[in-house]
Amino acid sequence: RIYWLALWLSGGFGMLLLARHLRAPIWGGFCVALGFIFSGFYTGHAEHTSVLYSYSFLPFVIWRLDVALQGGNRLAAAQAGALWGLSAMAGNPVLTISSCGLIAAWGLGRLSLGGKNSLQVWRRGLGLLAIVAFTGLVVLAPSYFGFLYEGRGYSDRNEPLPRDFALGSNALHPGAIGTLISPAMMALRFADSSLWSYTNISSFNLYLGAVVLLLAVMAMANPKRDRWRWFLFVVALLALACAVSRVLPLRGWIYDLVPPTRYFRHSSMFRGYFMFLLCVLALFGSRDLARVELDKRICRKFLLVSFALGLVAASAFAVTACLVNTDFALPLPVLLHLPLVWGSLLFLGLTINRAPVRLARWLPRALVVVAVVDGLLTCYLSEPVLYGAGPSPDSIVPHQTSIVTRAGRAVVIARSNLNLIAKIPTLQGYAPFKNSFHEATAASPALAPIALGRERFWFAPSAPLVELKREAFSKFGKRVQQLRYPIIVRHSRAMMLHSASAASFPEVGAIESAAPARRLSARIIHYEPNRLVLDVVVPGDGWLMVTDRWSRSWEATVNGKPAAVEGADFIYRAVAVTKGENHVDFTFHPPAVRALASVSWALLGGIALLSLARPRRRRAPGRPPLSGTNPASVDVTENGLEPHHTAAARPAACSPKSRANEAALRV
């Protein structure tokens, strides 16, 4: 629970750091950070810890990336890459791969809109992006190399997903975009599961908080026509277009043009980048309110935006409620949210229009109060997706059998809580690296007993060579069901890796005539995830099958001599043995893992030491500040490369009232 909450809160802390870098006021950073961590992305994916892990790194990555691009800081670029690499180590691969697109878009946007499009600027900027990419790839290399290398022949996830499946599975329903204006829309989905039916209940909510949405819209209503804001808004819309992949073709184009995106589904994940960029725009909106005196024009815009958004929220809720097919009674918090939150913002707009100067001081405090109340209500309304009232893992008693291990005893689970990762030999459990043959074996009453029980070792004098095809698996299952006893079929290493064409393999026709296998008693000497040592006596020459999964880095010796580890019964492993007593030693030696892990940790340690040891350089005279500056003393565009005149450099013809206002803002 501490780990889970730490991941959750770290996203808000990262947003505060990003707000400070973008020179947003403290109250604006707090409101945006609060809306970010209570957003529909966090509450919806509360059950998916890997999603929270990756998403919470996003503000940190963009913060250091922006520091690097604005100041030409190579250490900051390395820090951004290291943070992105760390977000992959325990994070969801969908967000790891998709974040590359946001990093590239942010970097190219800064370079294109920075005001100086010289070759030197582009060369420096692209060099910084290359540092980000190189550092991140080195940090994440141990786990992703393991997936790409070991996953082949072990998991179906190592192959690209079919295009229609990748685009259609858990895509965002266009109607769910209405959740952007109120979390009360979630109650309608809870009442009628057919609403936005093809979007998972964890993936349809876009709510960020009324204050965040209000500030983001006000940022886009800035009369300065800031190109950087419009660029971010366009990127946000593109991310949203990728999320609704069943309606718009953008995600399909990315699938065709960017091969890594062919390995994941859940297009609704792209909504996270849309929501993040709205938070960035909201930071700019809060900065506008902090810098500009609340004159009638600003107050009128605040009133119009709050009224328009409140009207849209009420209309969207009413229309969606009419589409619900069931009769239900809305709980009181659902009925209170729209009038309480949007009504409060409308009341603030009406109030400041009466006395803008006198009420300017307490407007930020009022927005903070509204944001806090909104966050608490959102958390309450999101309870069905945050947690459940079911039994705790400690109270679950699965059906189990035992085998003897080095420690004396281990549990082999036949049926278990599929959401609980059991760090013990398990036939049916939570398996991120899915394998269709494994799932079919675990679900088959005839095949599952092969891997269950105290003795999980089988012998057959002959084992026909069989291709890994569904037709062959179907024949295999029928033969076992016919004999009511297991048989052993084997698969060469090339077959398991799918590294040869089907025509190069011998014809398969011996499954129907395969003889039943014999269960053996073995003396287990050592049993760990990466090693299995046993002594077994076999009645003759043949094949020994152990019902543990096959992977390409398994090696074996039989009586001290190397032996090829082949696939058996589509998912297990087998070795050739001779008559009599055999000493079998299975070892798992994945290549380059230790070297990659050493390099990854060394790079992280080096970046951490440089970050701690390197003193903060003072700004050279005449050089415009890029971040962390008092908003009253400098006005820099969001591009960070076009400084305006400071208060000290403005013409002396300023009116006394203007100078007094500047002095007040500076204080």
Side-chain angles (χ1 to χ4, degrees):
R1 291 173 180 173
I2 293 174
Y3 174 72
W4 179 65
L5 289 174
L7 293 180
W8 199 311
L9 295 177
S10 64
F13 181 66
M15 187 60 70
L16 288 175
L17 292 175
L18 181 61
R20 180 178 180 273
H21 166 68
L22 295 176
R23 290 170 282 108
I26 295 176
W27 65 266
F30 177 79
C31 290
V32 173
L34 197 65
F36 185 64
I37 63 175
F38 283 127
S39 66
F41 200 90
Y42 273 93
T43 57
H45 292 288
E47 60 181 322
H48 305 137
T49 312
S50 63
V51 174
L52 298 185
Y53 179 93
S54 293
Y55 198 60
S56 294
F57 269 94
L58 192 58
F60 293 96
V61 175
I62 297 301
W63 165 46
R64 300 316 297 165
L65 173 67
D66 204 51
V67 170
L69 292 172
Q70 290 195 32
N73 192 328
R74 286 174 289 185
L75 177 59
Q79 291 168 345
L83 290 167
W84 172 64
L86 282 174
S87 73
M89 298 304 288
N92 191 290
V94 177
L95 295 175
T96 300
I97 297 172
S98 303
S99 293
C100 297
L102 180 62
I103 292 172
W106 189 285
L108 296 177
R110 280 298 197 195
L111 294 177
S112 301
L113 304 176
K116 295 181 180 180
N117 291 321
S118 64
L119 180 61
Q120 183 179 1
V121 171
W122 274 90
R123 185 179 302 169
R124 185 187 69 173
L126 294 177
L128 293 172
L129 291 177
I131 292 175
V132 174
F134 174 79
T135 307
L137 291 175
V138 171
V139 171
L140 63 82
S143 61
Y144 275 67
F145 173 79
F147 164 73
L148 294 173
Y149 184 82
E150 296 297 339
R152 189 175 180 184
Y154 179 86
S155 171
D156 299 338
R157 298 300 300 270
N158 202 256
E159 301 291 335
L161 296 174
R163 191 177 192 274
D164 293 340
F165 180 72
L167 270 60
S169 178
N170 197 24
L172 182 68
H173 193 285
I177 298 177
T179 58
L180 183 64
I181 46 86
S182 174
M185 304 282 281
M186 295 186 298
L188 304 178
R189 170 60 188 269
F190 298 151
D192 183 7
S193 59
S194 64
L195 191 66
W196 316 318
S197 56
Y198 61 75
T199 303
N200 188 273
I201 196 172
S202 67
S203 306
F204 68 84
N205 190 5
L206 282 77
Y207 191 65
L208 278 165
V211 175
V212 175
L213 184 60
L214 174 70
L215 293 175
V217 174
M218 291 194 65
M220 297 310 301
N222 192 318
K224 292 183 179 180
R225 296 182 181 180
D226 194 300
R227 295 182 300 167
W228 176 241
R229 298 185 186 187
W230 280 103
F231 174 80
L232 294 181
F233 182 67
V234 170
V235 174
L237 292 181
L238 292 177
L240 187 62
C242 289
V244 290
S245 55
R246 287 197 179 189
V247 179
L248 298 178
L250 184 58
R251 172 69 178 94
W253 297 341
I254 295 176
Y255 177 95
D256 297 331
L257 299 175
V258 186
T261 63
R262 302 173 187 174
Y263 287 83
F264 60 80
R265 54 192 181 103
H266 300 299
S267 299
S268 57
M269 288 285 193
F270 283 98
R271 82 191 193 283
Y273 300 101
F274 169 77
M275 299 164 72
F276 172 78
L277 291 175
L278 284 189
C279 287
V280 175
L281 291 174
L283 292 175
F284 293 150
S286 67
R287 197 174 72 178
D288 293 343
L289 285 179
R291 286 183 177 182
V292 182
E293 181 183 353
L294 289 181
D295 55 16
K296 292 184 178 181
R297 180 177 55 84
I298 297 297
C299 296
R300 190 180 303 113
K301 183 171 66 173
F302 187 98
L303 175 61
L304 291 176
V305 171
S306 60
F307 175 76
L309 291 178
L311 182 62
V312 170
S315 302
F317 182 80
V319 171
T320 307
C322 294
L323 299 176
V324 175
N325 297 324
T326 59
D327 296 330
F328 65 99
L330 289 173
L332 184 61
V334 175
L335 298 175
L336 285 178
H337 182 271
L338 283 172
L340 182 61
V341 174
W342 288 109
S344 298
L345 294 178
L346 182 60
F347 174 76
L348 289 177
L350 292 171
T351 305
I352 63 174
N353 269 273
R354 294 181 178 178
V357 178
R358 188 177 62 187
L359 302 177
R361 290 184 177 181
W362 60 260
L363 177 62
R365 303 173 188 175
L367 291 177
V368 168
V369 172
V370 173
V372 170
V373 173
D374 191 8
L376 293 175
L377 277 175
T378 301
C379 192
Y380 179 82
L381 295 175
S382 304
E383 180 181 326
V385 293
L386 280 172
Y387 57 85
S392 65
D394 295 337
S395 65
I396 296 176
V397 182
H399 174 70
Q400 57 192 25
T401 56
S402 301
I403 62 171
V404 178
T405 66
R406 178 176 62 87
R409 183 175 178 271
V411 178
V412 181
I413 299 177
R415 291 184 179 180
S416 67
N417 175 15
L418 297 183
N419 291 323
L420 181 65
I421 297 177
K423 297 183 178 180
I424 50 179
T426 305
L427 177 63
Q428 185 178 8
Y430 181 78
F433 292 160
K434 296 186 179 298
N435 182 296
S436 57
F437 294 128
H438 179 199
E439 292 177 337
T441 299
S444 170
L447 300 179
I450 300 176
L452 299 176
R454 181 178 295 274
E455 305 295 346
R456 299 191 291 112
F457 306 98
W458 300 86
F459 169 80
S462 63
L465 198 64
V466 173
E467 288 188 73
L468 278 86
K469 291 185 176 180
R470 297 188 181 278
E471 297 82 0
F473 184 82
S474 178
K475 293 180 180 179
F476 166 74
K478 291 178 180 178
R479 180 60 175 170
V480 172
Q481 191 172 9
Q482 177 187 2
L483 294 175
R484 296 183 179 179
Y485 218 74
I487 63 174
I488 298 179
V489 297
R490 60 188 178 91
H491 326 281
S492 67
R493 180 183 176 88
M495 290 177 176
M496 297 296 292
L497 296 176
H498 311 288
S499 59
S501 63
S504 64
F505 296 132
E507 286 294 326
V508 176
I511 295 179
E512 293 81 358
S513 59
R518 175 178 177 180
R519 190 189 292 267
L520 296 177
S521 296
R523 185 170 68 91
I524 299 176
I525 301 173
H526 194 89
Y527 191 15
E528 293 292 335
N530 61 348
R531 193 178 183 194
L532 171 60
V533 183
L534 60 109
D535 289 331
V536 62
V537 178
V538 298
D541 294 349
W543 293 89
L544 173 69
M545 179 179 72
V546 54
T547 56
D548 281 347
R549 291 292 303 276
W550 180 93
S551 182
R552 67 190 300 178
S553 291
W554 277 106
E555 301 173 358
T557 61
V558 178
N559 296 325
K561 297 180 180 179
V565 180
E566 298 197 357
D569 288 6
F570 296 87
I571 57 174
Y572 306 126
R573 56 181 186 264
V575 293
V577 293
T578 57
K579 182 178 180 179
E581 185 173 350
N582 290 263
H583 180 77
V584 184
D585 189 349
F586 288 99
T587 54
F588 184 72
H589 294 296
V593 168
R594 291 188 177 182
L596 289 174
S598 300
V599 173
S600 176
W601 280 107
L603 183 59
L604 284 173
I607 293 174
L609 290 176
L610 286 175
S611 303
L612 294 174
R614 186 176 181 181
R616 183 176 298 178
R617 292 183 299 178
R618 293 185 177 180
R619 181 169 52 91
R623 182 180 178 182
L626 298 177
S627 63
T629 312
N630 187 345
S633 62
V634 65
D635 187 14
V636 186
T637 65
E638 283 78 11
N639 296 327
L641 300 172
E642 298 178 4
H644 296 293
H645 295 291
T646 63
R650 289 175 183 169
C654 295
S655 65
K657 182 178 179 181
S658 299
R659 288 196 295 270
N661 290 334
E662 290 172 1
L665 286 174
R666 191 176 300 112
V667 171

